[in-house]
Amino acid sequence: MDAINIQDRSGEKNLVLRRAVVAVFLVFLMCAALLWRMFFLQVVEHDIYVTKSTANRVQVQPIAPTRGLIYDRNGHLLAENLPSHRLSLVLERVDDLDATLAELRKYVSISDREEERFRERAERYRRPYEPIELKDSLTEEEIARIAVNNYFLKGVEVDANLIRRYPYGSTFSHVLGYVGKINEAELKTLDPGLYAGTNQIGKVGVEKTYELDLLGTPGYRTVEINARGRILRTLDKVAPVPGADLKLYLDLGLQQKAEQLLEGQRGAIVAMDPKTGGILALASSPSFDPNLFVTGISSEVYSKLRDSRDVPFLNRTTRGLYPPASTVKPFLGLGALKYNVVTWNTKILNPGYWDLPTDLTSGRTRWRDWTWRYGKKPEWIDLNKAIVQSVDTYFYEVAYNMKLEAMHDTLASFGFGADTTLDVYNVAGGINPTREWKKERQGFSWFAGDSVNMGIGQGYLLASPLQVTAALTAIVNDGQWKTPRLEMSSNRDLQSVDTPFVPPPLDLPKEDFEKMKKALEEVMHGRTGTGRSTGWDAPFKMAGKTGTAQVYTYAEDELYDSDEVRERLRDHAWFTGFAPFEDPQIVVTVLVENGEHSSAMARMARAMFEYWLLPSTQATAKE
C-alpha cells in the first residue's frame, strides 16, 4: 500500500507567515503605542511633569519680615522682637499624623490646647508644603531632643523665628496693645501674600493701628530638597523688607509715674503736650500683661481677667466714659460768652440753691449748690468767681438760658461727642446729647431739668479723660485745636492713619481765653480756689479745674454722706490742668472711679507736673 502524505507544508507555511505578520503587527502597534505614550509624556505634557518634578525637588518658601520696633520719645524700646524656636509639621511629608504627634510627645511637652490649635490650623487653607506650627518657644533641651531623633521624625521641622516682647509689661498695655496668633476670622480677610510666613497680627492698640506699617513685606527663597524634605541648597532668595520703626510721643518715666500714682485704684491719667497734641502718658488702672497674649493666653488666665470686677481690659483713658462734672464749666462758660448769655461782669445771686420754674417740668424743681454751707449769706457771683469756686448755682442759670443746642455746639467745638484723635486705637466718642438722641435712646423729650444737669457736667453728658485733656488743650491754645496723637516719627512714610476729625472752632476773642486761663490759675493759687491746697506751695504756677461726678441719685434734700455710701457708689473724682501757667508745657487729666475727693486728684496731677518740669524730680524717680 502506497504511503499517504497528510502534511500540507504549503498551508502550514502560510499559517506561520500569517501568524508572524499578525505578531509583528501587534508588536508594531505596541511599540507605536509606547512611542506615542513616550512622546505624549515627554513632549505634550512636558511642562506638567517638569512642574511636578520641580515641586518634589524645589520649593518656594516665604521669609517672614522683621516686625517694626516701637520706641518712646527718648529712644527707650517699648516693643521688641526676641529670637525663639518653633516646632512645625509639613503634612504632605507626614505619613501618619497621629503616630507622629505621639512620638513628638516623647521629646516635647505638648498640651491638649496646643494640639487642638494645630489641628484647627491644619483644616484651614494653606499653600502646599507650608509648615503648620505646633508649638512655639521651644527650650534648648527640647530642640536638642528633636535634633537627635530628627531622622525618625519625617515632616517635622524646627525653625528660628522672632516673637514680640513688651519689656515694661502692663505699663503700656492699653496704649501699645499686643500681637497675637492670626485667627480664622482674620485669615478670611487678610492678604495671604502679605502675611506669608507670618502667624501673628496686631490685635489692639498701636500694634493694631499701625499694623500695615509695622508688618513689613515678606521675602521668598527657592530651595532644593531631598526625598525627606531636607534642604540641600538655596537656589534663589528675595530678602524681606522689615516693618517700620515707630517713635511715639510717650515718655517712659512719665508713664511709670502715672502708673505708680494709680496703683490700687480704678482710674486713668492722660498727659499731653499742648504745643503738638502729642500724648505723653496714657495710663489706665488696673492693667494686664500683654506678653500673655503673644504666644496664646491660657483659658484660665483669660477668664480671670475677663471676669474681674475691676475690668482690667477696659482702657479707661479712651473707652471709660464718665460725667465730666465741674471740669466742663470752663467750656460752657466760654460758650455762654459766645452766645451772649453772660459777660465776665454778669453777676447772679447765689442763695445756695437754684429754682427751676415749676411750669416747665413736673419733676425736680430745686438744685443745690455744693459750695453752700449752713449760715452762709447769699452773695453775688460773676463768671470768674463761678469758675474759681466751682459755683453750681451760676451754671444752673447759664445752662437754663443757653438751652441745649448752644451747649451742644459749644461742647462739640471742644471735641466732646466725637473721636478727634489721629492714631489712638478704638476711642469712644462719648455722648454730647441732643433732643433727638434722648428721644431715640430714652423715649422721652428733653426737659429743662436735663439742661440744668448738663450745665454742671452731670446727666446724659459723658466724656473720656482723653477728651477732657484735648478740650483743655484747646483752651491753652486760645481755641486752636491740637489733634491728639501718638506717633512722633518713623524711619519711613506711614500708610495706616486716616485724616482725623477736627472740631469746628469756637469763635471767641483771644482775650476771653486768656481770662478763662487766669480763672483756672486762681483755682490753684487763689485764696478761695477749689485747688488751693495743692497749689499754694508749688514751685511753679499751675492752672486747672476740679470736678466730682455723682454716681447715684439721692433725694433733693438728702446730703451726701461718704461713710454711708458703698465704695463703688461713691463719687468719681476729676482734675484737669496745665503747667507752668506762663508757658504751658504739659496738660494732665486725672480720673479715679469712686475717688470722691478731687483735691487728691489735683495732688496726683501736681506730681505729674513736677516730674515733667523739674529735672531733679526725674532724677529722684530714676534712682
Side-chain angles (χ1 to χ4, degrees), residues 565-610:
V565 178
R566 292 199 304 272
E567 189 267 339
R568 290 180 185 263
L569 292 179
R570 294 172 183 169
D571 294 344
H572 299 325
W574 284 91
F575 178 83
T576 185
F578 59 90
F581 175 72
E582 297 80 3
D583 182 21
Q585 303 295 319
I586 183 173
V587 178
V588 172
T589 298
V590 180
L591 176 281
V592 172
E593 294 179 5
N594 315 115
E596 287 192 293
H597 308 295
S598 57
S599 57
M601 307 307 107
R603 288 191 292 272
M604 292 168 67
R606 173 175 166 172
M608 294 286 286
F609 292 150
E610 290 179 345

Side-chain angles (χ1 to χ4, degrees), residues 173-175 177-178 204-205 284-293 297-320 425-426:
S173 60
H174 288 105
V175 56
Y178 53 84
V204 294
S284 177
S285 178
S287 188
F288 60 93
D289 185 358
N291 293 298
L292 295 172
F293 291 86
I297 187 172
S298 68
S299 58
E300 294 80 10
V301 174
Y302 179 79
S303 297
K304 183 178 180 180
L305 289 169
R306 180 197 60 198
D307 300 334
S308 171
R309 191 182 183 191
D310 292 333
V311 199
F313 286 149
L314 174 63
N315 185 354
R316 289 169 166 82
T317 64
T318 60
R319 299 291 301 172
Y425 175 74
N426 199 26

Side-chain angles (χ1 to χ4, degrees), residues 86-311:
R86 61 186 172 191
L87 174 64
S88 303
L89 274 70
V90 180
L91 294 185
E92 287 80 1
R93 294 198 171 89
V94 176
D95 295 329
D96 187 332
L97 179 58
D98 292 334
T100 301
L101 290 174
E103 185 70 15
L104 281 172
R105 287 182 182 274
K106 298 178 182 179
Y107 315 118
V108 178
S109 174
I110 301 174
S111 68
D112 293 339
R113 179 57 178 159
E114 287 172 330
E115 182 176 342
E116 180 184 347
R117 289 178 176 175
F118 167 78
R119 294 185 181 276
E120 289 175 357
R121 297 186 192 107
E123 296 297 324
R124 301 173 186 169
Y125 170 79
R126 59 187 175 82
R127 294 181 178 84
Y129 296 92
E130 181 178 350
I132 302 175
E133 180 182 313
L134 174 59
K135 182 179 178 63
D136 207 341
S137 302
L138 296 178
T139 65
E140 292 184 2
E141 183 178 350
E142 289 173 332
I143 297 171
R145 289 174 181 171
I146 295 174
V148 169
N149 297 277
N150 188 260
Y151 182 82
F152 306 102
L153 299 172
K154 191 175 180 180
V156 176
E157 295 183 357
V158 173
D159 62 324
N161 67 324
L162 295 173
I163 61 172
R164 203 65 154 175
R165 178 176 173 270
Y166 305 98
Y168 297 100
S170 62
T171 301
F172 290 97
S173 60
H174 288 105
V175 56
L176 292 184
Y178 53 84
V179 300
K181 303 288 186 182
I182 298 174
N183 59 41
E184 191 167 358
E186 292 166 336
L187 196 63
K188 294 178 180 179
T189 61
L190 296 179
D191 180 351
L194 194 58
Y195 283 84
T198 302
N199 63 0
Q200 292 187 327
I201 188 173
K203 297 289 186 177
V204 294
V206 172
E207 295 278 21
K208 175 70 171 179
T209 300
Y210 286 100
E211 167 64 21
L212 294 179
D213 298 297
L214 291 166
L215 175 62
T217 305
Y220 298 90
R221 64 174 178 172
T222 305
V223 297
E224 185 177 0
I225 59 175
N226 62 17
R228 295 189 62 83
R230 305 293 186 266
I231 296 176
L232 301 176
R233 58 176 175 151
T234 299
L235 303 176
D236 188 25
K237 182 177 181 179
V238 176
V241 178
D245 294 338
L246 299 179
K247 177 180 281 190
L248 307 181
Y249 280 100
L250 293 171
D251 183 89
L252 171 61
L254 193 66
Q255 181 82 7
Q256 290 176 326
K257 183 66 177 179
E259 182 183 40
Q260 173 192 340
L261 292 168
L262 287 171
E263 185 175 2
Q265 304 180 90
R266 300 180 304 279
I269 294 180
V270 179
M272 185 181 295
D273 179 354
K275 300 184 185 299
T276 64
I279 297 173
L280 306 174
L282 205 65
S284 177
S285 178
S287 188
F288 60 93
D289 185 358
N291 293 298
L292 295 172
F293 291 86
V294 175
T295 56
I297 187 172
S298 68
S299 58
E300 294 80 10
V301 174
Y302 179 79
S303 297
K304 183 178 180 180
L305 289 169
R306 180 197 60 198
D307 300 334
S308 171
R309 191 182 183 191
D310 292 333
V311 199

Side-chain angles (χ1 to χ4, degrees), residues 431 433-447 450 459-460 462:
I431 298 177
T434 62
R435 297 180 191 276
E436 295 74 21
W437 176 88
K438 185 185 177 185
K439 189 70 175 179
E440 179 181 344
R441 296 293 184 90
Q442 307 292 329
F444 299 102
S445 299
W446 187 268
F447 299 120
D450 295 327
Y460 298 113
L462 297 177

